[in-house]
C-alpha cells in the first residue's frame, strides 16, 4: 500500500529540512566567531552524536554491552593527531623526543598538490578515516577473545582494555610516537562547524543504512534471541565481531574529531568517565533509537557546556545568587534532571522509536486537519 | 518406502556429563511426516538440536541426502535445507512480523517476494499483522510466525520442537492442519511432541523415545493402537 504521492512529499520535506539545516549552519558559521559557545556546542555535540550512535549500534541493536568506547576513541584521536601534525611543527610538539619518528603529514601532503582548501580538508577526512581503521583493527584483535563473554563480563573486559590502552599511550618509551604524557597539538581542524555537521551526518546516515539492511536485521535478531538467530543460520561469532568492528570504526572517527575539536590531545582525556557520559546519552535517548541518541547528544552537550553554566558561575536565568550558584551546583542539577528523565521516560526519551520525515509529514497533516490515507496497521513512527 | 532424506545413526549426546541421548537411530523418508514422541527429558529436543549443529554430538552420524552433518556449522547445515522451529517459538519480540519473516530467509540472496506471499497465504493472520511487533502477538500467532519464519529458508526438511506447547486445543488443531498442508506441498516434516495423540494422528511413521533410547517404532496408526503407548502417553 505505497502511496506515491506521500513518498514524493516525504522526500521533498526531507530535502527541504536538510537544506534548512545547511542554511542555518552556514549562517551560524558566517556570523558567529569560531570560538562562540554555540559553534563549540554544535561541534562537540555532533561528535558525541556520532560516538553515541556507534555505541547504540553495539549496545542497542546487537545487544553487546561494551564499555570500550573511550579506548577506541583514543586510538582514533592519536592516529589523527600523529599523522596530521604539519612537519614543520613536529620539532616543537615532540620537543622531548627529537621531533618524533614520523616525519610526514597526510593533510599537508594532500594540500600540496590539491590546494589549500580541497586538499587540506580531504587530507583531514582521510586521516580521520585512517583513525577509524586503526580502531577497527584493534577491535578485531580484542574481539577474538572478548566477544565470547556475555553481558557484564564483556563490559568489564572492554572497560579494562580501554584503561590499559590509555596507560600504554602514556608510556615514555612510545614517546617518539605518542609524545608520552605530553600534549599533542598544532594539528589541522575544519574551519567551520558545518564541516563537522556534514561529515558526521554522512557517517550517521551510513549507520542508519546498515541498521536497516539485512546485516542490521541479523544484529537485531541476535539481540532478541541468540539461539533462534543461530537456528536461522546467522553466524553469531561473525556478526558480533562485525558489529564490534563497525562500532569501533565510527568511535575511532569520533575520537579523531573530538581531538580536532579540543585542539590539544592527551590520553588523560579519554577516561572511562567519557564512556559513561556517552552511555548516559545512549540510555537517555533510548537504547535502539538513533535519532534518540542524536537529539540527546545535542541536549546534553548544550545544557552541560552552555545553558546550565550559570549554575556554576553565580547568575542563572537572570537570578544573581552567588551563594547558591557556585562550583558543583550544576552537576547536582544535572543529576536531578537525569533522575527525573529516567523516572518518567524509563525507556529513554525516544524509546526504540525513530523520529522520521514520514512522522513529521503526518504530524503536520494532522495539525492542518488534512486526512491522511489510513493504513491497515500503524508503522511505529512518531 | 520413498528415499531416506535424513538419517540418524547411533547418535550419542552428552550434556555436561549427563548422557541425554544414548545411541539412537532413525530414518526420515522424503516427503513424509515423522514424529518422535516421549516425555520430558527423553532427549527429543537434544536430538533435533544435534541435527542442526546447535549441540555437538559425542558420537554417531547424521546424514542428509547421504552427506555427513556432524561437525558442520549451523549456518552451513541450514543452507543445505534443514531448518528448526525451536521449542517455545522464540520469535524476535522487538522486531515486526515482516522483519521476523525476512530473517528466516537470511541465508538466501534471491528475491523473497514469492515466498513472503506463500507464507502469508499459509498464515493469512500474519499478513494482517505485518507491522506489529512479534512480542505483541498471541501464543498461537507467535507459533505461526515461528513456522513461517522457518519456511522462508525454503527447507527440504522442517523440524518442529513441540509446536503445541502452551496452546489452546483449538489453536493446536489449526497448527497441525498447517503442518499437514506444508507436508502436502512437499516439505518433509520431523515433529517432536508430548501431545502424542495429535502427533500420531498425522504422522506417517513414529518413534517413541524414553530416557535417551528408542523403545518403540511403527506407523502412526500402529502406535495409536499400541497398549503401552496408550497407557503411557494417551492416558487411556
Amino acid at each position: 500500500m505505497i502511496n506515491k504521492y506521500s513518498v514524493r512529499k516525504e522526500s521533498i520535506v526531507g530535502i527541504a529540512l536538510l537544506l534548512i539545516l545547511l542554511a542555518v549552519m552556514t549562517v551560524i558559521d558566517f556570523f558567529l566567531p569560531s570560538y562562540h559557545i554555540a559553534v563549540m556546542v554544535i561541534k562537540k555535540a555532533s561528535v558525541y552524536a556520532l560516538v553515541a550512535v556507534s555505541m547504540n549500534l553495539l549496545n542497542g541493536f546487537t545487544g553487546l554491552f561494551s564499555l570500550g568506547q573511550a579506548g577506541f576513541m583514543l586510538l582514533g584521536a592519536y592516529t589523527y593527531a600523529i599523522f596530521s601534525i604539519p612537519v614543520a611543527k613536529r620539532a616543537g610538539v615532540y620537543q622531548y623526543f627529537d621531533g618524533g619518528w614520523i616525519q610526514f603529514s597526510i593533510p599537508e601532503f594532500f594540500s600540496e598538490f590539491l590546494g589549500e582548501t580541497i586538499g587540506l580538508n580531504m587530507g583531514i577526512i582521510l586521516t580521520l578515516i585512517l583513525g577509524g581503521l586503526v580502531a577497527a583493527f584493534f577491535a578485531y584483535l580484542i574481539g577474538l577473545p572478548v566477544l565470547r563473554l556475555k553481558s557484564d563480563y564483556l563490559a568489564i573486559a572492554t572497560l579494562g582494555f580501554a584503561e590499559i590502552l590509555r596507560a600504554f599511550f602514556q608510556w615514555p618509551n612510545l614517546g617518539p610516537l605518542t609524545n608520552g604524557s605530553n600534549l599533542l597539538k598544532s594539528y589541522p581542524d575544519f574551519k567551520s562547524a558545518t564541516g563537522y555537521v556534514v561529515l558526521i551526518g554522512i557517517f550517521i546516515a551510513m549507520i542508519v543504512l546498515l541498521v536497516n539492511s539485512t546485516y542490521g536485521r541479523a544484529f537485531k535478531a541476535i539481540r532478541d534471541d541468540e539461539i533462534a538467530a543461530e537456528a536461522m543460520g546467522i553466524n553469531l561469532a561473525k556478526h558480533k565481531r562485525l558489529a564490534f568492528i563497525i562500532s569501533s570504526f565510527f568511535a575511532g572517527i569520533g575520537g579523531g574529531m573530538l581531538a580536532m575539536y579540543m585542539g590539544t590531545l592527551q590520553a588523560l582525556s579519554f577516561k572511562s568517565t567519557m564512556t559513561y557520559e556517552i552511555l548516559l546519552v545512549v540510555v537517555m535517548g533510548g537504547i535502539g533509537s538513533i535519532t534518540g541518541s542524536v537529539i540527546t547528544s545535542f541536549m546534553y552537550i548544550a545544557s552541560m557546556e552552555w545553558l546550565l553554566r550559570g549554575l556554576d558561575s553565580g547568575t542563572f536565568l537572570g537570578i544573581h545568587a552567588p551563594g547558591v550558584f557556585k562550583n558543583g551546583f550544576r552537576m547536582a542539577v544535572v543529576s536531578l534532571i537525569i533522575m527525573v528523565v529516567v523516572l518518567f521516560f524509563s525507556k529513554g526519551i525516544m524509546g526504540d522509536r525513530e523520529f522520521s520525515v514520514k512522522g513529521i509529514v503526518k504530524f503536520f497533516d494532522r495539525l492542518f486537519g488534512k486526512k491522511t490515507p489510513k493504513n491497515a496497521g500503524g508503522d511505529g513512527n512518531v | 518406502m520413498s528415499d531416506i532424506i535424513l538419517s540418524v545413526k547411533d547418535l550419542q549426546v552428552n550434556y555436561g556429563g549427563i548422557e541425554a541421548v544414548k545411541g539412537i537411530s532413525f530414518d526420515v523418508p522424503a516427503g513424509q511426516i515423522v514424529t518422535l514422541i516421549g516425555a520430558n527429558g527423553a532427549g527429543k529436543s537434544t536430538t533435533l538440536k544435534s541435527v542442526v549443529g546447535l549441540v555437538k554430538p559425542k558420537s554417531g552420524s547424521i546424514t542428509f541426502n547421504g552427506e555427513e552433518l556432524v561437525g558442520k556449522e549451523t549456518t552451513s547445515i541450514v543452507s543445505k535445507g534443514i531448518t528448526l522451529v525451536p521449542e517455545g517459538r522464540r520469535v524476535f519480540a522487538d522486531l515486526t512480523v515482516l522483519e521476523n519473516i525476512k530473517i528466516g530467509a537470511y541465508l538466501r540472496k534471491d528475491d523473497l517476494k514469492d515466498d513472503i506471499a506463500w507464507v502469508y497465504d499459509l498464515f493469512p493472520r500474519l499478513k494482517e499483522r505485518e507491522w506489529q511487533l512479534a512480542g505483541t502477538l498471541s501464543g498461537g500467532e507467535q507459533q505461526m510466525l515461528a513456522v513461517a519464519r522457518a519456511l522462508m529458508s525454503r527447507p527440504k526438511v522442517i523440524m518442529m520442537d513441540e509446536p503445541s506447547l502452551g496452546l489452546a486445543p483449538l489453536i493446536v488443531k489449526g497448527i497441525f492442519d498447517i503442518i499437514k498442508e506444508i507436508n502436502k506441498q512437499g516439505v518433509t516434516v520431523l515433529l517432536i511432541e508430548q501431545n502424542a495423540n495429535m502427533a500420531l494422528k498425522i504422522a506417517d511413521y513414529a518413534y517413541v523415545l524414553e530416557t535417551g533410547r528408542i523403545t518403540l517404532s511403527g506407523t502412526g496408526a500402529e502406535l495409536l493402537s499400541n497398549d503401552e503407548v496408550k497407557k503411557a502417553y494417551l492416558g487411556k
Side-chain angles (χ1 to χ4, degrees), chain A residues 214-215 217-218 220-221 223-225 227-235 239 352 377-379, chain B residues 53-54 74-75 78 83-84 86 90-95 99 102-104 106-107 131 149-150:
Chain A
T214 322
Y215 281 109
R217 264 203 302 277
K220 289 182 248 180
R223 171 194 68 190
D224 274 13
D225 194 323
I227 292 173
E230 198 178 5
M232 293 299 111
I234 295 171
N235 185 331
H239 283 85
D352 56 2
D379 57 7
Chain B
L54 289 172
T74 305
T75 308
V78 173
T83 180
L84 171 69
R90 289 184 176 272
V91 293
F92 302 116
D94 290 332
L95 300 184
E99 283 177 307
K102 283 184 177 167
I103 288 170
Y106 181 71
L107 292 173
W131 299 108
R149 185 178 65 181

Side-chain angles (χ1 to χ4, degrees), chain A residues 105-293:
Chain A
S105 156
I106 297 175
E108 217 174 35
F109 174 76
F110 276 92
S111 57
E112 254 165 44
F113 64 96
L114 279 174
E116 195 57 42
T117 357
I118 302 172
L120 184 71
N121 285 328
M122 211 175 102
I124 290 177
I125 293 169
L126 286 176
T127 319
L128 286 171
I129 290 172
L130 180 69
L133 291 175
V134 169
F137 175 69
F138 272 80
Y140 169 76
L141 290 183
I142 199 77
L144 291 176
V146 154
L147 288 178
R148 292 164 195 273
L149 303 171
K150 298 223 156 127
S151 61
D152 316 4
Y153 300 100
L154 175 65
I156 293 165
T158 45
L159 189 67
F161 158 74
E163 291 294 299
I164 291 167
L165 206 63
R166 187 163 55 83
F168 184 65
F169 269 70
Q170 289 172 296
W171 189 32
N173 290 6
L174 270 182
L177 191 67
T178 63
N179 212 8
S181 50
N182 309 303
L183 290 177
L184 283 175
K185 52 183 184 240
S186 307
Y187 42 82
D189 184 5
F190 288 134
K191 293 273 183 308
S192 64
T194 314
Y196 280 77
V197 172
V198 169
L199 192 59
I200 281 167
I202 292 170
F203 288 136
I204 290 178
M206 286 161 93
I207 298 177
V208 171
L209 287 179
L210 175 76
V211 164
N212 292 329
S213 72
T214 322
Y215 281 109
R217 264 203 302 277
F219 292 160
K220 289 182 248 180
I222 291 173
R223 171 194 68 190
D224 274 13
D225 194 323
E226 283 197 6
I227 292 173
E230 198 178 5
M232 293 299 111
I234 295 171
N235 185 331
L236 293 184
K238 187 183 130 192
H239 283 85
K240 284 181 177 180
R241 202 184 311 141
L242 194 67
F244 194 55
I245 289 173
I246 294 172
S247 165
S248 307
F249 172 73
F250 288 111
I253 292 178
M257 296 188 76
L258 190 67
M260 272 188 356
Y261 158 82
M262 294 189 300
T264 59
L265 172 64
Q266 58 175 342
L268 217 56
S269 321
F270 294 86
K271 282 194 216 155
S272 50
T273 335
M274 184 173 275
T275 303
Y276 298 142
E277 248 186 330
I278 292 153
L279 182 66
L280 180 79
V281 169
V282 171
V283 172
M284 299 246 292
I287 293 175
S289 169
I290 289 174
T291 40
S293 294

Side-chain angles (χ1 to χ4, degrees), chain B residues 63-77:
Chain B
T63 52
F64 175 68
N65 279 333
E67 196 183 343
E68 182 62 54
L69 297 183
V70 172
K72 290 229 162 69
E73 290 291 323
T74 305
T75 308
S76 80
I77 295 173

